[in-house]
Amino acid sequence: MLQFINTILGLGASVMMPIIIFMIGLIVGMKPIKALRAGFTVGVGFIGINLITGQMGGFMSPIIEGLQDKWHMSLDTYDMGWPVSSGIAFSNGGFVVAMFAVLIVVNIVLIVLKQTDTLNVDIWNYWHFIMGGSLAYAMTGSMAAGCIVGGIYGGVVLLLADKHAEKIAEFLGYPGVTITTQSFPVMMYVCMGIDWVIDQIPGLKKVKFSLTSMNPKISFLSEPLFLGFILGFFLSLFAGTGWEAALTAGIGMAAVMFILPRMVKILMEGLSPLSNAAQEFMSRKFPGRNMNIGMDMAVLLGDKEVITMAMIMVPITLLLAIILPFNKLLPFTDLPAMTYFMVAPVMAGKRNSFRSLLIGVIVICGMLFIATDLAPLFTQVGASSGLIDAGTGSVSALSGGGEVLAWIMIKILSVFQ
């Protein structure tokens, strides 16, 4: 049974999500063929997004390596990235099954008690909550403690997810969707808090600039095709990769920025009928309530401001890694996923590029600190899973810096250790 569950989990979101969408579709009263079509469409959307973001990583890797070599970076904790982190989270079959049961029960209980209106269908990203629980499990040696930490992590995300539903609807242009990936609801509050502080600073609060909104005569430069080429080309030249590689990266990033929004649109085409059916189902079961569908943050990655800020933040993140005295993490594997990290700063900054960049810098500083602080536990859990060689040395993940809620609970637990 455990082997079967691990096999399904190992297939990734593009396979898991169609199955989950189909099953939920049947539960909320969709006809089987419509539920199946919705599931397949969501799966196609995820595959498209993964293909494009994977291509983005391929174009960005030479740039990242070039920047690291140019600045002679030598930090002792390697960024293993979210793909390895998710594999580690799903490596302990017994704990994974226990955590899935806990997280599903928590979601149902919170809905019944009217503490949340979010039904989290993003089961693939349960791995974030499971990773948080795994770190607590490794520190305490107690599976119960791990389940409690993972369950609280997932529960708090659900409690806060609805608070940003209107902002997400405005940003996405589609109502009824919330984001339950990692600590996103908490990061939104953090970013909104930084934005509020900027509003209190004379002069600074009046600065308004958007890289994607330019003078009409040169507005074509803000189009995804041109903007992607400009950023990819000049970042490559700055990294010293040569003009041939710069041209390749420029065209490649132009393609990424042009195609990615279309992949997100496909995903939303599949999600739309499920969301409508879920709303009708919940209105029958819980009159007067509107149900939101908790989804992967990937649905927000098609915004060109997010992509633009993410590309600009890559060299800035490397610079921060060098100059911050507390940092030990060498950013690498998670840098192509910078789009995920910049969604909250862009939303909180209301697409003001100046504010988004300032908020993003502060957020990345915090993520580097948390990732460095969690490195011993990440290394321990990675080695015990067998996915990280015991002789590799210190490992962590830049994305691990986004596990804010897990980190807070682990710090609280450490007081009693």
Side-chain angles (χ1 to χ4, degrees):
M1 181 64 178
L2 291 179
Q3 184 177 358
F4 173 75
I5 293 173
N6 282 332
T7 300
I8 295 297
L9 292 173
L11 296 176
S14 60
V15 175
M16 283 184 60
M17 288 307 295
I19 297 172
I20 295 165
I21 295 295
F22 175 69
M23 293 175 63
I24 293 176
L26 294 180
I27 292 172
V28 298
M30 293 178 70
K31 293 182 178 179
I33 190 63
K34 289 187 176 180
L36 190 62
R37 183 180 291 112
F40 282 164
T41 305
V42 169
V44 169
F46 265 108
I47 289 174
I49 291 172
N50 290 336
L51 285 173
I52 299 305
T53 54
Q55 286 294 313
M56 182 178 181
F59 294 125
M60 290 300 292
S61 291
I63 296 174
I64 294 165
E65 292 174 358
L67 292 171
Q68 288 174 331
D69 291 340
K70 191 172 183 177
W71 290 337
H72 306 291
M73 299 180 71
S74 56
L75 298 165
D76 61 8
T77 299
Y78 178 70
D79 173 17
M80 64 183 178
W82 72 264
V84 177
S85 298
S86 63
I88 291 172
F90 286 141
S91 64
N92 185 334
F95 184 66
V96 169
V97 172
M99 278 301 312
F100 263 77
V102 168
L103 292 166
I104 291 171
V105 168
V106 165
N107 197 171
I108 293 172
V109 169
L110 289 177
I111 289 175
V112 172
L113 295 179
K114 299 183 179 181
Q115 298 303 303
T116 186
D117 288 324
T118 290
L119 176 65
N120 187 6
V121 304
D122 185 21
I123 292 181
W124 162 253
N125 275 314
Y126 273 17
W127 77 261
H128 289 289
F129 312 137
I130 296 170
M131 173 56 80
S134 297
L135 295 176
Y137 188 2
M139 185 179 72
T140 63
S142 167
M143 179 182 285
C147 287
I148 290 171
V149 167
I152 293 175
Y153 186 179
V156 173
V157 167
L158 287 168
L159 287 171
L160 297 178
D162 296 326
K163 309 298 182 184
H164 307 301
E166 290 185 7
K167 285 184 175 293
I168 292 169
E170 180 183 353
F171 190 83
L172 186 61
Y174 185 85
V177 174
T178 53
I179 304 301
T180 50
T181 306
Q182 208 177 34
S183 296
F184 177 80
V186 175
M187 292 305 296
M188 272 300 302
Y189 275 118
V190 170
C191 293
M192 289 164 62
I194 299 170
D195 184 67
W196 179 86
V197 171
I198 295 173
D199 272 332
Q200 311 311 307
I201 302 175
L204 202 62
K205 65 180 181 180
K206 295 182 179 180
V207 179
K208 187 173 183 180
F209 174 71
S210 176
L211 289 171
T212 56
S213 299
M214 300 181 178
N215 186 294
K217 293 182 179 179
I218 57 171
S219 60
F220 69 91
L221 293 175
S222 68
E223 294 177 17
L225 281 172
F226 292 101
L227 192 58
F229 177 82
I230 291 169
L231 291 172
F233 181 76
F234 285 104
L235 274 177
S236 292
L237 289 182
F238 183 66
T241 61
W243 67 268
E244 302 97 327
L247 284 173
T248 301
I251 295 295
M253 290 311 303
V256 167
M257 292 190 71
F258 186 79
I259 298 174
L260 187 55
R262 286 157 172 76
M263 295 300 103
V264 173
K265 185 177 180 180
I266 291 174
L267 189 149
M268 295 308 299
E269 286 178 5
L271 186 62
S272 177
L274 174 68
S275 178
N276 293 335
Q279 294 278 5
E280 294 174 5
F281 177 81
M282 293 306 296
S283 65
R284 293 195 301 270
K285 298 295 182 181
F286 302 96
R289 294 176 65 182
N290 292 319
M291 183 57 58
N292 297 312
I293 301 298
M295 282 295 295
D296 191 320
M297 204 189 304
V299 301
L300 303 177
L301 299 189
D303 187 86
K304 64 180 180 180
E305 184 81 20
V306 170
I307 302 172
T308 302
M309 289 295 101
M311 294 181 67
I312 292 173
M313 278 302 299
V314 167
I316 292 176
T317 299
L318 290 169
L319 179 61
L320 290 172
I322 296 171
I323 65 175
L324 292 175
F326 58 77
N327 179 61
K328 301 295 182 185
L329 181 75
L330 174 64
F332 181 72
T333 309
D334 266 335
L335 283 177
M338 190 62 68
T339 44
Y340 288 87
F341 310 148
M342 289 306 294
V343 169
V346 169
M347 288 184 65
K350 304 175 186 67
R351 290 195 174 90
N352 179 339
S353 298
F354 172 77
R355 289 199 178 203
S356 298
L357 195 60
L358 188 56
I359 296 170
V361 167
I362 297 172
V363 166
I364 292 298
C365 287
M367 291 178 67
L368 286 169
F369 174 78
I370 294 174
T372 297
D373 191 60
L374 288 176
L377 278 177
F378 261 97
T379 304
Q380 179 182 342
V381 174
S384 64
S385 72
L387 293 177
I388 300 293
D389 190 351
T392 299
S394 180
V395 298
S396 188
L398 183 60
S399 57
E403 312 287 359
V404 179
L405 286 169
W407 176 70
I408 291 172
M409 286 184 282
I410 286 168
K411 298 308 287 186
I412 294 172
L413 272 178
S414 67
V415 174
F416 301 98
Q417 284 296 106

